[in-house]
């Protein structure tokens, strides 16, 4: 389910923020974030964007929730991991779509900005 996947992804980010575990988890976390970036591009742009409420596809916005949790954390290293994830998603989408302008037209970034702005009021 979405909740279980969010919990697992949050655990991966927390493990990556832990200095003793970082060498073992850093590359895996980057691969997972890149995978989400690819899914985001495929689902939210192109000729056949995914329909809303499609139960057969992974909800890429779970990554937004996890990044927001990290960025809202008082633990500085966890916020750094969230920032790294944002940077990696941005770079991957820019590379695939050819420009920042095209990448930032993906709804994923609107959702991310809204979620991060909401942290200011929590």
């Amino acid at each position: 389910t979405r909740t279980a996947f969010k919990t697992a992804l949050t655990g991966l980010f927390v493990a990556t923020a832990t200095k003793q575990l970082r060498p073992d988890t850093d590359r895996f976390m980057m691969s997972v974030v890149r995978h989400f970036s690819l899914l985001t591009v495929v689902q939210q742009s192109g000729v056949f964007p995914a329909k809303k409420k499609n139960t057969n596809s992974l909800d890429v916005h779970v990554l937004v929730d996890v990044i927001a949790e990290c960025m809202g954390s008082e633990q500085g290293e966890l916020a750094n991991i969230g920032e790294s994830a944002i940077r990696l998603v941005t770079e991957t989408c820019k590379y695939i779509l050819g420009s920042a302008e095209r990448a930032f037209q993906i709804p994923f970034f609107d959702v991310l900005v809204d979620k991060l702005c909401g942290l200011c009021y929590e």
Side-chain angles (χ1 to χ4, degrees), residues 62-74:
V62 73
L63 181 61
V64 170
D65 294 340
V66 173
I67 289 172
E69 275 187 39
C70 292
M71 298 301 287
S73 173
E74 293 180 10

Side-chain angles (χ1 to χ4, degrees), residues 9-26:
L9 196 55
T10 301
L12 177 60
F13 276 57
V14 170
T16 305
T18 305
K19 288 183 181 181
Q20 296 86 353
L21 298 176
R22 185 172 301 140
D24 298 327
T25 60
D26 191 44

Side-chain angles (χ1 to χ4, degrees), residues 11-121:
L12 177 60
F13 276 57
V14 170
T16 305
T18 305
K19 288 183 181 181
Q20 296 86 353
L21 298 176
R22 185 172 301 140
D24 298 327
T25 60
D26 191 44
R27 291 184 68 182
F28 180 64
M29 190 218 52
M30 289 173 54
S31 295
V32 169
V33 171
R34 277 193 196 103
H35 180 75
F36 269 95
S37 303
L38 293 171
L39 286 174
T40 298
V41 170
V42 169
Q43 289 179 4
Q44 297 183 355
S45 68
V47 181
F48 303 108
K51 306 278 189 266
K52 290 185 180 180
K53 302 291 183 186
N54 184 353
T55 57
N56 293 328
S57 63
L58 180 62
D59 181 11
V60 294
H61 293 134
V62 73
L63 181 61
V64 170
D65 294 340
V66 173
I67 289 172
E69 275 187 39
C70 292
M71 298 301 287
S73 173
E74 293 180 10
Q75 184 184 0
E77 195 56 41
L78 191 55
N80 290 340
I81 297 300
E83 184 179 337
S84 295
I86 293 171
R87 196 174 306 114
L88 186 57
V89 170
T90 302
E91 290 172 5
T92 304
C93 290
K94 284 188 331 189
Y95 182 78
I96 293 169
L97 295 172
S99 70
E101 293 79 23
R102 291 187 67 198
F104 292 133
Q105 290 175 354
I106 295 176
F108 177 88
F109 290 104
D110 292 333
V111 174
L112 179 63
V113 168
D114 286 345
K115 192 80 161 181
L116 293 179
C117 286
L119 291 176
C120 297
Y121 299 104

